[in-house]
Structures are given as structure tokens and as C-alpha cells.
Amino acid sequence: PRMFHVVLLNDDYTPMEFVVWVLQHVFYKGKEMSVQLMMKVHQTGKASCGVFPYEVAFMKRTQVHQLAEKHDHPLQCRLEPVQGQDED
């Protein structure tokens, strides 16, 4: 199956602690890895949280958006296809 990166995007309003929490609870990252990924998002504008088949990636993106909305944060993420895959 085609694989997709789930990419978190930086914004000026979502607290860093919330991003770390999302990484731990949606992507099952450990505390240290979550902090490292959050800092990459903060410093570079985006970071891939993992690579998944489309259905799983779509579900994780949906979870991020639902949690952000529930907690009144503008955190966004998007799906980016893994480069170099054969397209049928």
C-alpha cells in the first residue's frame, strides 16, 4: 500500500506542552522523542510523526484535528506521500 507521512505543522498559538501530549497519545512516542519532535516542528515549521498506510495516516490526522479542536488549539497536520513509491 502507499505510505504517507503524518506531518505536524507549526503555529504561533498551540502550546508546546500540548504538541508533546499529542505526540505521546496519538503517535505513542516516548517523552524524550515527543519533545525532540515538538522542537523540530517549532524550529523548522514541520515534522513527520510517522509513516503509515493511508487509512491509518488519515485516522491519525483526524485524531490530531479532533483533539486540537476539543482543546481550542489551531494545531494542524497533513499527509505527505512517501517519495519514491511506485504509483499504479
Side-chain angles (χ1 to χ4, degrees):
R2 288 219 38 171
M3 302 295 281
F4 290 82
H5 292 276
V6 180
V7 179
L8 282 183
L9 304 175
N10 190 43
D11 64 71
D12 292 331
Y13 303 101
T14 303
M16 292 179 177
E17 296 81 12
F18 182 76
V19 175
V20 170
W21 183 83
V22 165
L23 288 163
Q24 290 178 299
H25 289 85
V26 175
F27 298 96
Y28 304 107
K29 304 291 185 187
K31 177 74 171 182
E32 187 174 319
M33 178 58 71
S34 295
V35 170
Q36 290 175 5
L37 283 170
M38 176 275 298
M39 288 305 298
K40 184 173 181 182
V41 171
H42 180 68
Q43 293 171 346
T44 68
K46 68 179 188 175
S48 175
C49 303
V51 176
F52 308 94
Y54 179 77
E55 292 80 12
V56 176
F58 183 86
M59 178 192 67
K60 291 196 177 285
R61 182 185 70 181
T62 300
Q63 288 176 316
V64 170
H65 288 164
Q66 288 173 340
L67 287 168
E69 184 176 337
K70 178 180 178 181
H71 293 274
D72 295 321
H73 298 306
L75 182 63
Q76 293 292 306
C77 69
R78 67 180 178 213
L79 305 183
E80 295 181 0
V82 172
Q83 298 299 316
Q85 294 185 88
D86 293 332
E87 294 189 33
D88 296 333

